[in-house]
């Protein structure tokens, strides 16, 4: 067995068997249909016995031999054809190819414009006469092979994003499309499954208590988060629909634009909670505590609270401005000093509520029940 260098991509291969075996190996390694083998002096090799160790061979697809290391011109009439061999030095690695390979498949690419005319690179050649290109050889090889045979073949371990960047740099438009599809297909499918209680508790335990925990936009749909300490956590735009949050501590949590529809928050601590524009339609918030002794007020401005059951909740000073409480149950709630300006209270049960100093300006109380109020309600003309 002999080891020789095949000078198309400067690859070293083992030679054994017959000449047909060598051509088969060269075709497989180089991505071409090798039909002829020449030695370094241009001699056609028709017997593998003529090959010696460390020989440099030139594999061709049937075209006449032209030494790529010389400045010799191809025969008249063949200029710019596939017989016009040249060598590229890409980031220190040598690639031997034909001018037509770089020009014909993508005639409008940067590579095509670089090599349409022989003198375009001027003196940008190394000591061996190879044209210098300061790019990554690892990512250039798949591009060159694509220009040779039109197939995108990327070896294992090669980052497709790197090849895509090179394809964009060289302007190989058709390859860019292939790579974008390949990258998209290689991405794992998005996991939209809800986060379980076990997963979330593990997440909580791994997070330092002083660190801000961001759960923004996460899916907790149907999860059991009852009795957990969820203070100061950012649940903005999270999906908490049908969650069990009973007895949970949500003090100062951010639930802005979160989906809490159908959830159970009975006896939850909601001091200073932010629920601006959240959707809690049909949720149960019985006996919840929104009242913060320090004066920090819960903010439910613009929230959708249709049909919620908030019976017996402590909501002193709560901000429910322009919120929707249609058909809600607020029986025996403490709404002292609450902001209900512009709030939709249609058909809302407010019996037994403490509404002293509450701001009901511009609110809709059509069909609302106010019987058995602890404090008389003085409606102004602005109450609809």
């Amino acid at each position: 067995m002999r080891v020789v260098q095949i000078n198309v991509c400067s690859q070293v291969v083992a030679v054994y068997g017959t000449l047909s075996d060598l051509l088969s190996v060269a075709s497989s390694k180089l991505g071409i249909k090798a039909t002829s083998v020449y030695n370094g002096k241009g001699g056609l090799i028709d017997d593998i016995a003529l090959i010696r160790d460390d020989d440099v061979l030139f594999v061709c697809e049937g075209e006449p031999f032209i030494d790529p290391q010389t400045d010799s011109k191809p025969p008249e009439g063949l200029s710019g054809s596939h017989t016009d061999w040249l060598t590229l030095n890409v980031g220190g690695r040598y690639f031997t190819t034909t001018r037509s390979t770089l020009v014909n498949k993508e005639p409008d690419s940067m590579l095509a414009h670089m090599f349409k005319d022989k003198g375009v690179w001027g003196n940008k050649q190394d000591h061996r006469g190879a044209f210098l290109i300061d790019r990554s050889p690892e990512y250039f090889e798949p591009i060159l092979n694509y220009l040779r045979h039109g197939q995108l073949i990327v070896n294992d371990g090669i980052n497709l994003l790197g090849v895509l960047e090179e394809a964009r740099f060289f302007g190989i438009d058709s390859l860019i499309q292939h790579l974008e599809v390949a990258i998209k297909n290689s991405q794992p499918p998005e996991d939209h499954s809800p986060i379980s209680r076990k997963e979330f508790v593990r997440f909580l335990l791994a997070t330092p208590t002083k660190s801000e925990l961001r759960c923004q936009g996460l899916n907790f749909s149907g999860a059991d988060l009852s009795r957990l300490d969820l203070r100061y956590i950012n649940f903005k735009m999270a999906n908490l629909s049908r969650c069990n949050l009973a007895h949970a501590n949500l003090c100062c949590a951010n639930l802005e634009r979160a989906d809490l529809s159908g959830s159970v928050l009975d006896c939850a601590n909601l001091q200073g909670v932010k629920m601006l524009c959240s959707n809690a339609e049909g949720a149960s918030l019985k006996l919840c505590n929104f009242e913060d002794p320090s004066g920090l007020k819960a903010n439910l401005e613009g929230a959708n609270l249709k049909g919620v059951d908030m019976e017996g909740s402590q909501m002193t000073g709560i901000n429910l401005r322009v919120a929707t409480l249609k058909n809600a149950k607020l029986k025996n709630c403490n709404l002292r000093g609450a902001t209900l300006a512009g709030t939709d209270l249609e058909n809302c049960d407010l019996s037994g509520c403490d509404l002293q100093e509450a701001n009901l300006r511009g609110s809709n109380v059509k069909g609302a029940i106010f019987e058995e109020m602890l404090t008389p309600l003085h409606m102004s003309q602005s109450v609809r």
Side-chain angles (χ1 to χ4, degrees), residues 24-311:
S24 177
V25 171
S27 299
S28 175
K29 292 281 187 181
L30 307 177
I32 63 174
K33 188 175 181 180
T35 59
S36 306
V37 180
Y38 295 88
N39 63 23
K41 296 182 179 180
L44 179 64
I45 295 175
D46 59 1
D47 190 343
I48 198 169
L50 300 174
I51 301 173
R52 297 291 179 266
D53 284 345
D54 300 324
D55 273 355
V56 176
L57 306 180
F58 295 84
V59 179
C60 305
E61 294 182 292
E63 63 272 20
F65 172 82
I66 296 177
D67 188 351
Q69 303 301 328
T70 67
D71 292 329
S72 59
K73 297 181 179 180
E76 186 176 354
L78 294 178
S79 178
S81 72
H82 67 289
T83 62
D84 191 5
W85 289 90
L86 49 83
T87 300
L88 310 177
N89 181 344
V90 182
R93 181 175 165 188
Y94 289 92
F95 296 87
T96 301
T97 185
T98 61
R99 197 179 302 274
S100 64
T101 295
L102 302 175
V103 171
N104 289 351
K105 185 169 181 61
E106 290 279 347
D108 295 325
S109 69
M110 175 194 270
L111 274 175
H113 288 295
M114 286 161 61
F115 292 101
K116 277 179 181 177
D117 299 319
K118 291 187 177 182
V120 70
W121 274 92
N123 61 351
K124 294 183 177 65
Q125 294 173 266
D126 65 10
H127 65 284
R128 294 175 54 180
F131 294 97
L132 291 163
I133 300 179
D134 185 20
R135 303 297 294 183
S136 167
E138 182 180 46
Y139 300 138
F140 180 78
E141 183 175 6
I143 291 175
L144 181 57
N145 284 332
Y146 174 78
L147 294 175
R148 284 171 172 154
H149 47 63
Q151 297 294 321
L152 173 60
I153 300 175
V154 182
N155 294 332
D156 292 340
I158 303 297
N159 193 327
L160 288 174
L161 290 173
V163 181
L164 176 60
E165 184 60 31
E166 294 302 288
R168 287 172 174 164
F169 175 80
F170 289 113
I172 316 297
D173 291 340
S174 60
L175 180 56
I176 291 173
Q177 297 173 9
H178 283 298
L179 284 165
E180 288 176 341
V181 171
I183 290 171
K184 183 178 180 180
N185 292 337
S186 67
Q187 299 298 318
E190 293 185 15
D191 185 6
H192 296 289
S193 58
I195 298 172
S196 67
R197 179 185 180 92
K198 184 177 180 180
E199 291 173 317
F200 190 52
V201 168
R202 189 184 299 118
F203 186 37
L204 288 174
L205 293 175
T207 305
T209 55
K210 293 185 179 180
S211 299
E212 179 186 3
L213 191 58
R214 300 184 64 184
C215 298
Q216 187 167 331
L218 297 184
N219 183 8
F220 296 90
S221 178
D224 180 7
L225 305 179
S226 61
R227 301 182 183 277
L228 292 180
D229 186 354
L230 307 175
R231 290 174 296 171
Y232 301 100
I233 295 179
N234 184 355
F235 288 107
K236 186 176 181 180
M237 295 184 290
N239 182 359
L240 293 156
S241 61
R242 297 177 287 103
C243 275
N244 182 3
L245 289 157
H247 298 275
N249 187 354
L250 286 158
C251 176
C252 297
N254 186 352
L255 292 162
E256 183 178 345
R257 299 184 184 277
D259 184 0
L260 290 156
S261 57
S263 293
V264 176
L265 292 94
D266 296 344
C267 303
N269 182 6
L270 296 167
Q271 295 176 344
V273 72
K274 295 178 182 179
M275 291 178 61
L276 288 82
C277 301
S278 61
N279 176 24
E281 184 171 352
S284 178
L285 291 93
K286 292 185 289 186
L287 302 173
C288 288
N289 180 26
F290 291 88
E291 185 177 352
D292 188 352
S294 68
L296 186 63
K297 297 180 180 180
N299 191 348
L300 280 74
E301 184 172 331
N304 177 13
L305 299 167
K306 288 181 181 179
V308 298
D309 187 349
M310 305 178 77
E311 184 175 346

